[in-house]
């Protein structure tokens, strides 16, 4: 329960931060991870795909994208990012 509250607060703060710094991929990555941890898998995947589109070498985004696909039981897509 505590960690879920932390991730919900992270979503709130990251969303606010994006309004001020739309260029920082780490804010988007933080938001995507918080989405993953709160069960908003589709939202997380959408953000992670955007991050990777702009920076194909972002290893953590690829890892989390694979994690998101695995949680959706989409193993073929997950393997593309491992």
């Amino acid at each position: 329960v505590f960690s879920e509250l932390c991730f919900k607060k992270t979503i709130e703060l990251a969303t606010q931060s994006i309004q001020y710094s739309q260029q920082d991929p780490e804010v988007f990555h933080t938001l995507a991870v918080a989405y993953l941890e709160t069960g908003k898998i589709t939202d997380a995947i959408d953000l992670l795909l955007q991050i990777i589109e702009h920076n194909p070498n972002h290893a953590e985004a690829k890892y989390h994208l694979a994690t998101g696909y695995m949680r959706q039981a989409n193993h073929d897509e997950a393997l593309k990012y491992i």
Side-chain angles (χ1 to χ4, degrees):
V1 172
F2 176 74
S3 63
E4 185 175 339
L5 291 174
C6 287
F7 284 116
K8 287 182 179 182
K9 187 65 173 178
T10 299
I11 291 170
E12 178 186 329
L13 294 173
T15 302
Q16 290 173 5
S17 294
I18 287 170
Q19 294 174 359
Y20 297 104
S21 67
Q22 296 178 354
Q23 303 298 320
D24 187 353
E26 291 310 311
V27 174
F28 288 93
H29 183 248
T30 298
L31 180 57
V33 171
Y35 280 155
L36 274 177
E37 295 302 321
T38 56
K40 296 178 179 181
I41 307 303
T42 302
D43 292 334
I45 287 173
D46 290 344
L47 277 177
L48 292 162
L49 285 170
Q50 289 176 38
I51 294 167
I52 293 168
E53 181 179 316
H54 293 288
N55 182 0
N57 297 318
H58 197 298
E60 288 183 71
K62 288 181 177 183
Y63 168 79
H64 287 113
L65 182 58
T67 300
Y69 282 131
M70 290 296 288
R71 290 184 184 178
Q72 289 182 329
N74 190 343
H75 303 112
D76 291 336
E77 282 299 310
L79 286 173
K80 293 178 185 179
Y81 296 96
I82 294 178

